[in-house]
Amino acid sequence: MSTPRPLANGLRTDHPVPGLPFVDDSHIPLDEGAEAIEAVGRHEGGGMWGRFDPNDRGGDDDWHAFTTDPLNHKLGWSVRSHPVHGRTVLLMSDGDTALQHSMWSGDQLLFRAGGYWFDGTTWYRPGQVWDPIEQDHERRKARAAATVSAADMLDGRADPAKAHIGKVATFDPEAPAPDNWLDHLALWADRHQERDGARPLEQCIVDVASPELNGGQLLGVPEMAELGGITASTLRSYISRGNSEVPQPQASVGGRDQWARAVADDWVEARRRSYEGIKATMSAGDPDNLSPGAAAVRDRFAANFHSTLWGRPDVRKRWVLRQRNETSVREVSDALAWDVAASLDRIVPTDVLGPTVTKAILHDFADSIDLHEHSSAKPGKTTAQKNRENKWWHLNLTIPMAKMLDWYIRHYPESAHWQIGEIMRDARNQWDVPPQATLRALRQALSLDGELTEQQRETYFALLSPREDID
């Protein structure tokens, strides 16, 4: 998925994006509400489109909408409106408006500095690490973030006479950003304050400031790639292909992309917790990059094939040429065994196994919780005793289930990682079990009845553990 790129600020926006020009939006019915904006693009034919959606979090006046521009169908308008925090109006390529619309479907009110976002109270870093419990990216607060308002930026030196308001009909998306942007901001501020009920400039957000975004905390492509364990050329290739897993840069210095170290660290963590990252972590040290379980299958079949092909004279004489020896037969055996190990997903399908294991574990949990609740309800116990006991979760797995989960992790660590996330989510939703309690129960069951080493368990469950955010 590509990242939508705003091209200009609408003149009636409350929160100008720094660096972007301002364009006249008077032909769009912003003051008439979301449905009126949608209706602009709902004409039959003509290649136009429009849509609005409410945001339940802020009441009836909390919404986001977009429409194709009626004067220039290559462009479109994206609007985010909040009853308390005002509205953002962006001019975009018409193909980007729907994507921007989806990015505004939650608490996000503003995006700045390459994906840092604001919910009206707090600034967060770009969402990268997936939270299986919330089914969304983890919210990680930007450190010591401060909001920069239009009033903060206008110190009286900017000259609105040196700026101008653009027109959609003549707008050039490829034109460079204005060098004298503060002059343009001053002109916008003059026009803004002429409107009835205009939002005070102190409440018009332009940017975010944080120690994370200081120049000393910014990394270039070489440093970013080194953190991610890839080459700089590989990272450049990802960027050129529009790989959505690479976060947006926070700045461009001399035409070169720069990322905040905190964003880069989150990117590295997201890579480690990804499907490929889990696979690489659990196969570390194996010459064929196989999971521990697949490597054991390979070694077992390699020995079996070699014993059959070489160790049994009745079989060997049927196919071994005079110039072949035990070493060459071992190479054939190893190749056949690797093919078996690498084909495990065709032998035991994870799309069937995963949900089955998940349901079975949740069934074990349900039995444990029912037993604990029955025990807590025995007569003679005080309310304090019951409350004290209920602070502890007695989640247990039967021995066969623990062995099955251990086998699943050893053979399909990346698939099991996803399913354990589903288990944590379902346990929280059904019984209000804290995710850490679920992980603790699973880890304990595997330590008692599984074959993973202690180091393998610690490494694996560290990639599942929810992160405690630090302000």
Side-chain angles (χ1 to χ4, degrees):
M1 183 186 296
S2 60
T3 301
R5 182 172 69 93
L7 302 175
N9 294 294
L11 182 58
R12 288 179 288 172
T13 190
D14 289 326
H15 307 296
V17 176
L20 296 185
F22 293 87
V23 171
D24 184 12
D25 55 19
S26 60
H27 60 300
I28 303 298
L30 298 176
D31 296 329
E32 297 176 26
E35 293 186 57
I37 296 172
E38 177 189 77
V40 172
R42 289 283 184 159
H43 296 297
E44 294 184 6
M48 297 179 66
W49 181 245
R51 174 171 175 167
F52 86 91
D53 285 286
N55 282 66
D56 297 335
R57 297 164 181 81
D60 294 340
D61 294 327
D62 187 5
W63 50 265
H64 52 296
F66 71 89
T67 182
T68 304
D69 186 89
L71 305 178
N72 185 344
H73 293 182
K74 293 182 179 179
L75 301 174
W77 296 93
S78 185
V79 183
R80 176 72 167 93
S81 181
H82 191 277
V84 175
H85 301 292
R87 70 185 173 198
T88 295
V89 185
L90 297 174
L91 182 67
M92 316 186 74
S93 165
D94 191 50
D96 278 349
T97 53
L99 182 54
Q100 180 66 50
H101 190 76
S102 68
M103 292 174 62
W104 273 337
S105 61
D107 294 341
Q108 297 85 348
L109 295 174
L110 304 171
F111 293 93
R112 295 291 187 271
Y116 279 72
W117 61 276
F118 187 62
D119 67 354
T121 304
T122 305
W123 283 98
Y124 298 91
R125 295 202 294 274
Q128 297 187 82
V129 180
W130 185 252
D131 181 349
I133 295 97
E134 298 296 337
Q135 292 291 288
D136 199 353
H137 291 105
E138 289 186 6
R139 296 186 173 198
R140 299 189 170 182
K141 297 177 182 178
R143 186 162 58 91
T147 297
V148 180
S149 71
D152 295 328
M153 300 192 73
L154 293 172
D155 56 8
R157 290 180 291 179
D159 185 359
K162 296 179 180 178
H164 68 279
I165 303 300
K167 300 290 185 182
V168 168
T170 57
F171 182 78
D172 180 7
E174 301 302 324
D179 293 329
N180 58 329
W181 190 75
L182 286 181
D183 295 334
H184 289 257
L185 181 65
L187 177 57
W188 164 84
D190 287 349
R191 299 286 186 89
H192 174 79
Q193 292 177 102
E194 292 173 357
R195 289 166 35 205
D196 292 337
R199 191 176 184 83
L201 293 180
E202 291 78 10
Q203 297 177 20
C204 294
I205 299 172
V206 176
D207 213 345
V208 56
S210 167
E212 297 180 8
L213 298 170
N214 289 343
Q217 293 294 312
L218 298 181
L219 308 176
V221 167
E223 299 87 356
M224 179 85 162
E226 184 178 2
L227 277 179
I230 57 178
T231 65
S233 60
T234 298
L235 179 57
R236 290 190 182 97
S237 176
Y238 287 168
I239 295 170
S240 67
R241 296 201 306 264
N243 188 320
S244 62
E245 294 179 359
V246 180
Q248 300 175 61
Q250 276 60 68
S252 179
V253 181
R256 297 184 177 183
D257 291 339
Q258 302 275 294
W259 289 266
R261 175 59 188 259
V263 173
D265 288 340
D266 287 350
W267 174 65
V268 172
E269 183 177 346
R271 283 173 57 82
R272 287 201 307 266
R273 292 182 179 234
S274 69
Y275 184 92
E276 291 300 327
I278 296 293
K279 184 177 181 180
T281 298
M282 294 304 289
S283 64
D286 183 77
D288 294 326
N289 295 320
L290 295 175
S291 67
V297 170
R298 176 200 58 203
D299 295 343
R300 184 169 67 251
F301 275 96
N304 290 347
F305 288 150
H306 181 266
S307 176
T308 300
L309 296 174
W310 185 261
R312 291 178 51 183
D314 59 321
V315 175
R316 181 172 54 181
K317 69 181 181 180
R318 297 179 186 176
W319 70 280
V320 176
L321 299 177
R322 181 170 298 178
Q323 62 269 31
R324 287 182 178 160
N325 54 34
E326 183 175 1
T327 299
S328 63
V329 172
R330 188 175 299 280
E331 291 174 354
V332 173
S333 302
D334 289 348
L336 292 172
W338 175 87
D339 189 57
V340 172
S343 304
L344 277 178
D345 58 339
R346 297 201 298 269
I347 299 171
V348 182
T350 57
D351 59 335
V352 176
L353 176 65
T356 302
V357 171
T358 296
K359 293 298 183 184
I361 289 176
L362 291 171
H363 185 272
D364 272 7
F365 280 1
D367 286 347
S368 300
I369 291 170
D370 287 346
L371 181 62
H372 173 60
E373 289 180 347
H374 178 73
S375 174
S376 299
K378 288 182 178 179
K381 291 189 176 183
T382 65
T383 301
Q385 287 176 318
K386 293 178 182 179
N387 290 337
R388 187 163 56 248
E389 288 180 355
N390 285 333
K391 291 180 181 178
W392 298 92
W393 288 97
H394 299 269
L395 301 177
N396 297 300
L397 293 186
T398 58
I399 292 177
M401 197 62 254
K403 289 181 177 294
M404 184 70 252
L405 178 61
D406 178 83
W407 184 95
Y408 188 25
I409 293 173
R410 285 187 291 110
H411 290 78
Y412 302 100
E414 60 277 20
S415 176
H417 184 274
W418 173 265
Q419 293 298 333
I420 291 174
E422 291 293 294
I423 292 168
M424 289 192 291
R425 180 169 179 263
D426 287 349
R428 189 201 64 173
N429 292 344
Q430 292 186 43
W431 305 295
D432 202 27
V433 179
Q436 289 287 15
T438 299
L439 287 182
R440 185 166 58 247
L442 298 179
R443 189 167 55 242
Q444 182 178 20
L446 267 58
S447 69
L448 295 173
D449 301 306
E451 296 180 26
L452 285 167
T453 67
E454 181 178 357
Q455 181 60 51
Q456 287 172 334
R457 283 196 308 274
E458 291 303 316
T459 299
Y460 190 74
F461 279 92
L463 295 172
L464 283 156
S465 183
R467 180 179 181 275
E468 296 295 334
D469 204 358
I470 299 175
D471 292 343

